[in-house]
Amino acid sequence: MMGMEPSTAAKADIQTPYRQELKRSLSFWDLLIYGMVFMVPIAPFGIYGSVVQGSNGMIALAYLIGMVGMIFTALSYARMSEAFPIAGSVYSYAQRGINDSVGFIAGWLILLDYIFIPALLYLVSASALHDMVPQIPLFVWSLIFIVINSVINIRGIEFTAKANKIIVVLELIILAIFLLVGVMAIAKGVNGAELTVKPLYDKNHFSLGVVMGAVSIAVLSFLGFDGISTLAEETKDGSKSIGKACIYALLTVGALFIIQTWVAALIWPDFKSFSNPDVAFYQIAEVAGGTWLKYLTILATALSWGIANSLVAQAAISRILFSMARDRKLPSFLAKIHPKYQTPYLGTIAIAAISIVVTAFFASKIGMLSSVVNFGALSSFLFLHLSVINYFIRKKKSTDYVRHLILPIVGFVVIGYVWINLDLLSKKLGFIWLGIGIVYLIALKLMKRDTGLKLE
């Protein structure tokens, strides 16, 4: 045995101070599918143009680096979820791994990601459908998505899990259709297509700084695997299934991202020639298979982002609100559980209300809205890696230096490098949000709104 096993190191922490209120009904496969739906197996459809141009055509490399970087973060999630099998994700892990104040800041940062993600997804999907059916206003499309997802999430996590299974199967079918048609187009040399490794490495255009800049965009597609950890109090397979599901979901979806972007890049080798990068993938689909494939991929993107992705995003953020409200860090009504469905229904309704306001305000500012999402997630991941090191090495005196020191350090460095390459607007808006959180934390301290928990 190498050092202290997580189950031993954290044995005393498995008994949480909370009463079991959420329904334990999810299996490992439910968690895996949840993570896949959150990341969206066809996510590159919507941001292909930005990533391929940002990476100088090496889009498969950008997704490969993004996947490897996130694996280290998933490993840290695995360590902390084994020690603390409770809802709250990085908020709970930093709170117990470092201290209460750091936990709040980490939770506040992940809120920036999760609160805005549903609204962003609704707007992207509504925009796509509005182009197809302009008679229906953008806001109406968004409202339809919000109502559907809220009803599903309030009905219960089992109902959400069933919806996830249907959604992920449909996404995989559409992806398979694109890949089949795409490979046939490459074999025929459509649009100058030929087999090459350039989407993975092109020595004439390679620059680590340029590729990492593209990774900072591509990483948006991977955000969501961490949402699996918010379901820790609703899993029936034990704490180890959380970390296992995070890693397997990342590997599965990451492989799909690399394959589909590689095929797309081969069909359209001149990555600089897109008239509008926002619809680049749909242009490629049209070249490969015709108008029917173009509209199929547009519809798939709209429904997978507007229903599937935002559905699980809303479920995740409602659990974080539940966890922070339970600790009296947010208004107590957010911790209310539905008497029949055993879900944090008021938190779900609150996110729906916020999404309505945000989609109305940012309807013409999608770029600004999307710029803040990565800042919150990546910043909270940095706290996660520090939590692993502080909890296991300093508090528990673990000698398992590979899992509890070296791997978290590598994860911190990789995420830190991607964070540095975020655009300036992301950092400006992110630091404003962070400043508001610090002021709010100070107010909580002055009002002595402590959790009542005995944290080391």
Side-chain angles (χ1 to χ4, degrees), residues 42 45 170-183:
I42 57 173
F45 285 16
L170 292 176
E171 289 181 6
L172 292 176
I173 290 173
I174 292 170
L175 177 57
I177 292 172
F178 169 77
L179 291 176
L180 178 62
V181 175
V183 168

Side-chain angles (χ1 to χ4, degrees), residues 287-313:
V287 167
T291 304
W292 69 271
L293 187 58
K294 172 186 175 181
Y295 284 114
L296 180 64
T297 52
I298 288 176
L299 189 62
T301 301
L303 295 181
S304 62
W305 287 49
I307 297 292
N309 198 348
S310 50
L311 175 67
V312 292

Side-chain angles (χ1 to χ4, degrees), residues 204-279:
N204 295 323
H205 293 98
F206 180 78
S207 166
L208 183 59
V210 169
V211 172
M212 290 305 293
V215 172
S216 70
I217 303 173
V219 78
L220 178 65
S221 302
F222 291 103
L223 300 183
F225 77 90
D226 52 300
I228 295 172
S229 64
T230 66
L231 304 178
E233 292 181 47
E234 293 161 273
T235 176
K236 60 185 179 183
D237 289 348
S239 58
K240 287 185 179 294
S241 62
I242 295 292
K244 183 181 176 183
C246 285
I247 294 169
Y248 277 76
L250 266 175
L251 290 173
T252 302
V253 175
L256 294 176
F257 288 169
I258 293 169
I259 293 170
Q260 67 191 270
T261 53
W262 199 323
V263 169
L266 294 180
I267 296 171
W268 197 296
D270 187 4
F271 59 89
K272 295 180 180 179
S273 65
F274 294 112
S275 56
N276 181 4
D278 292 340
V279 296

Side-chain angles (χ1 to χ4, degrees), residues 188-209:
K188 296 177 181 178
V190 172
N191 201 39
E194 60 180 358
L195 287 175
T196 174
V197 297
K198 286 184 178 180
L200 187 64
Y201 178 72
D202 183 353
K203 64 179 181 180
N204 295 323
H205 293 98
F206 180 78
S207 166
L208 183 59

Side-chain angles (χ1 to χ4, degrees), residues 340-374:
K340 179 180 180 181
Y341 301 121
Q342 292 179 266
T343 55
Y345 71 107
L346 291 183
T348 301
I349 294 172
I351 292 301
I354 291 172
S355 295
I356 291 173
V357 174
V358 173
T359 51
F361 182 79
F362 285 94
S364 59
K365 305 181 184 70
I366 294 179
M368 180 182 294
L369 182 59
S370 63
S371 67
V372 303
V373 171
N374 281 352

Side-chain angles (χ1 to χ4, degrees), residues 392-409:
F392 286 102
I393 299 298
R394 191 182 73 82
K395 290 187 175 184
K396 294 300 179 181
K397 310 300 180 185
S398 171
T399 55
D400 188 347
Y401 297 117
V402 173
R403 291 195 298 176
H404 300 152
L405 183 63
I406 295 175
L407 292 179
I409 287 177

Side-chain angles (χ1 to χ4, degrees), residues 420-431:
I420 290 172
N421 283 279
L422 289 173
D423 64 89
L424 187 59
L425 180 60
S426 296
K427 294 175 182 176
K428 280 184 177 180
L429 296 176
F431 278 118

